[in-house]
Amino acid sequence: MELPVATAEHVVKEFVSGFGIAVPRGATARSAEDVAVAAGGLTPPLVVKAYGPGLVHKSEAGAVRLGLGSPVKAARAAAEIRAALTGSGVTVEGYLVEEQAPPGVEVIVGAVRDPSFGPVLLVGLGGVWTEVLRDTALRLCPITEDDARRMLAELRGAALLDGFRGSPAVDRDALVKLLLAVGGPGGVVESLGEGFTEFELNPVICTPEGAVAVDARLLGPADVTPRECAEPLSQNFDLLFAPRGVAVVGASTKRPNFGNMFLGFYRAAGHTGLVAVHPTADEIDGVPCVPSLEGADVDYALVAVPAERCPDVVREARGIPFVQVMSGGFRETGAAGLEDELLAAAHDAGVRLLGPNCMGVYSPAGGQTFIGGRPGRPGRIALISQSGGLAGEVIKVGEHRGLAFSKVATVGNSADVGPAELLRYFAADDDTSVIGLYLEDPRDGRALFDALRAVSKPVVALVGGRSAQGHRAAASHTGAMVGDARVWEALAMQAVLPLVTAQDDLIGALDLLDLHAGREVPVSPDVLVVGPSGGASVLAADALDRAGLRLAPLPGVDLGLPVGAVPGNPLEIPVGPRGKPDLVGQVVTAIQREADRPYPDVITHVNVQSFFTFGDSADPLLAYARGVGELQRELTGTRVILVLRNAEYAPAGVEDELRAIARAAGVPTYRSVEAAATAVAVAKVRDQRRRA
Ligand code: ADP
Ligand code: MG
């Protein structure tokens, strides 16, 4: 069936009924007078609606009449609608007369096309009230039956479906079937393909007898500019992260610029095989020059020349596997045409393009850098970032705390190499065990979703720009309710992907995932919290609650708790300058031994300030940290976490020393219980995935 833009309701209904979706029996008439005849075979009560271009929200325009007792009354109602619409600017093309479905619970089922993730399915309660209630659940299409059932369970008003205050339970299976018929494999959304922007059944009336779509709306075709999906030329990024030679294009002999800065970075990193490209100079900043990329025997070229010149430079890069365009001034400033030209140049030259508008690549083992100074020690954390600046901060601050990275890629505008492809590479990379993502607007969202579902290594994502919602021009309720934040939440649920909301939490989560990577702990939301102070314990409980973690009660046996302990979870124990450094170890070991279900995670916290108020040496605090380290060595099947509350109170250097002691034992440290709880919550999402 050929479906035009803003399709008439009866045409959409006929189309969806082909997918097994129940719609009211009905007929159409071109004029109000013909409605009586058209309604001949229908059983009252009847409904009459006008249709025509521009009639999107019919009842608002006065184009819907309900509860009509006979075909003649239906015809009269149609005439009244016509009279009401006269002069309103709306052209009535005809009338739909149909049987009125019995009342029930009204739900909305809709789909929109997200610009990067493709079709998204929405279900919500409330029929006409949905936008007010905003009680909706989302999934990326295609959905599974499990997704459909979970979507319904997620609704705050789900109890309405099960019968409320004497009303009978609706046929949930019929609604699940309808959701699958819309958003499942081979469903309405899939068969519409590119041919829609918004699709909506609102309302679907649910009763114990079934689910009937009494209204259907289809807007399209989609305004999608399909991305050119040329087959990737190379999936192997080994040389990107360990190039045997690097050429820098754009460094100046007179006025130091970004190119000169990068020459400096590579020299500081001790890179051998560095050349600068310059038409006349023999050397720049002590680096030998070649006149063009054509004469450079390198695996990687960094281009930092004005945007208009970049396509030409890239054309000269034939034979070089990877070219990074650092320059900005492309799609991000509205110059999409220039970016297309750049991509075409890269394709012509057979090179893979990183950027434009990106900082580059960092890999301590492979001599790649963009951060200045000496690279850190090689580690096992990989990062893909759509912001170069943020990636630099995560590396610098992370390394300061003791984290170590395998490979970091900033992708900028991702004209060619994008997050999805890099994620697939890191998923198989022997040097990487944990992957972090910073994303704003992944242009290959669909591929990223698929890659996220396929990767078995732990991944944590920080997504920026999620609050910038409502920019989507929407003609349907569904369209208005699918904000970016909701799409990401749906994706996170379907891909079992933990999301964090701050840069510091990304670092904290990566640290915990990396340090505890090898530990297989029981899959449960349980956490034990141990430390001094009543107030801190109460606040810790609140913080864990917010993070969705559970403070399971202590085992109900004699644990031989020390004097001054207040039993419970959080467990309050005296920790201070005069306390026993191994106290926390003894207590926690006893608890884990006695517990029927040992705690997967133990957060130990300490008030650093008290050690320097009631004492004057760091030694007891260092001894305490060593005690926590011992505890971790003892409990190999438990993730131990150390929180140094009020660490800023310690004399200079002490916090770093504490961190180093904990890290040596595999224990990550945080400055607040909130930060620790966020990282633990990320690990718990990861655990769930391991089980699945
Ligand atoms: P609108 O374009 O305003 O969304 P609808 O076709 O959804 O128009 O009709 C408005 C309301 O009338 C619906 O929300 C529903 O409550 C009711 N309605 C419409 N058609 C039927 C029908 N066949 N049976 C029962 N109720 C109906
Ligand atoms: Mg409607």
Side-chain angles (χ1 to χ4, degrees), residues 319-676:
I320 300 174
F322 296 99
V323 175
Q324 176 216 339
V325 173
M326 178 182 185
S327 323
F330 295 88
R331 196 174 297 275
E332 83 285 2
T333 58
L338 189 59
E339 188 162 314
D340 293 342
E341 195 191 329
L342 182 71
L343 183 61
H347 283 160
D348 288 350
V351 308
R352 294 306 307 272
L353 180 73
L354 202 71
N357 186 29
C358 79
M359 287 300 283
V361 174
Y362 175 71
S363 73
Q368 277 284 39
T369 185
F370 64 91
I371 59 165
R374 279 171 53 89
R377 74 187 158 90
R380 305 199 52 83
I381 300 171
L383 179 70
I384 303 165
S385 176
Q386 288 196 294
S387 157
L390 182 131
E393 292 178 36
V394 169
I395 296 168
K396 286 285 187 192
V397 174
E399 287 183 346
H400 178 77
R401 287 192 204 164
L403 280 72
F405 295 86
S406 55
K407 293 161 182 166
V408 176
T410 69
V411 291
N413 295 6
S414 313
D416 177 25
V417 175
E421 210 181 338
L422 285 163
L423 181 59
R424 289 197 296 269
Y425 171 77
F426 287 147
D429 176 32
D430 289 338
D431 297 335
T432 295
S433 52
V434 178
I435 304 160
L437 300 172
Y438 173 72
L439 302 169
E440 285 170 6
D441 176 21
R443 292 184 56 208
D444 54 354
R446 240 315 124 157
L448 182 68
F449 178 50
D450 294 338
L452 282 166
R453 285 203 287 193
V455 60
S456 59
K457 291 175 186 173
V459 180
V460 54
L462 171 62
V463 181
R466 276 204 276 165
S467 56
Q469 52 179 288
H471 294 312
R472 210 186 305 270
S476 69
H477 300 276
T478 307
M481 288 187 296
V482 180
D484 292 349
R486 303 288 315 274
V487 175
W488 275 107
E489 278 159 27
L491 179 149
M493 215 142 15
Q494 284 171 280
V496 199
L497 168 72
L499 295 177
V500 291
T501 55
Q503 178 183 313
D504 200 54
D505 290 335
L506 177 64
I507 298 173
L510 286 170
D511 196 15
L512 191 147
L513 290 172
D514 183 32
L515 282 173
H516 289 312
R519 254 178 255 287
E520 298 254 316
V521 306
V523 183
S524 97
D526 293 352
V527 180
L528 172 65
V529 177
V530 194
S533 165
S537 298
V538 169
L539 290 176
D542 291 347
L544 264 71
D545 195 64
R546 279 196 299 275
L549 302 171
R550 186 170 65 191
L551 290 156
L554 295 183
V557 296
D558 180 17
L559 296 165
L561 292 176
V563 182
V566 181
N569 185 10
L571 172 60
E572 199 189 317
I573 56 167
V575 179
R578 273 173 286 281
K580 280 171 47 198
D582 51 357
L583 182 68
V584 67
Q586 284 166 12
V587 168
V588 173
T589 315
I591 292 171
Q592 293 291 66
R593 195 176 46 231
E594 297 297 339
D596 291 337
R597 291 180 308 135
Y599 295 92
D601 297 274
V602 175
I603 297 178
T604 65
H605 65 95
V606 61
N607 175 13
V608 170
Q609 162 263 320
S610 72
F611 284 78
F612 302 97
T613 302
F614 304 109
D616 45 20
S617 156
D619 291 343
L621 192 53
L622 298 172
Y624 167 81
R626 278 190 286 273
V628 172
E630 278 312 308
L631 171 67
Q632 180 65 84
R633 291 194 179 94
E634 184 101 353
L635 301 179
T636 49
T638 305
R639 289 184 294 230
V640 178
I641 293 99
L642 174 59
V643 177
L644 302 167
R645 292 194 290 110
N646 308 315
E648 68 217 308
Y649 206 87
V654 172
E655 187 182 6
D656 289 345
E657 219 175 320
L658 292 165
R659 283 185 182 286
I661 291 170
R663 180 171 302 281
V667 174
T669 49
Y670 299 88
R671 274 189 163 188
S672 71
V673 173
E674 285 79 0

Side-chain angles (χ1 to χ4, degrees), residues 9 24 47 49 56-60 64 66 98-101 106 128 202-203 205 214-215 217:
E9 177 177 338
V47 177
K49 310 174 186 183
V56 180
H57 298 286
K58 299 177 297 287
S59 37
E60 273 165 40
V64 180
L66 301 166
E98 61 183 15
E99 293 178 353
Q100 182 164 329
E106 297 201 350
V128 290
N202 187 26
I205 300 183
V214 303
D215 186 17
R217 201 182 330 277

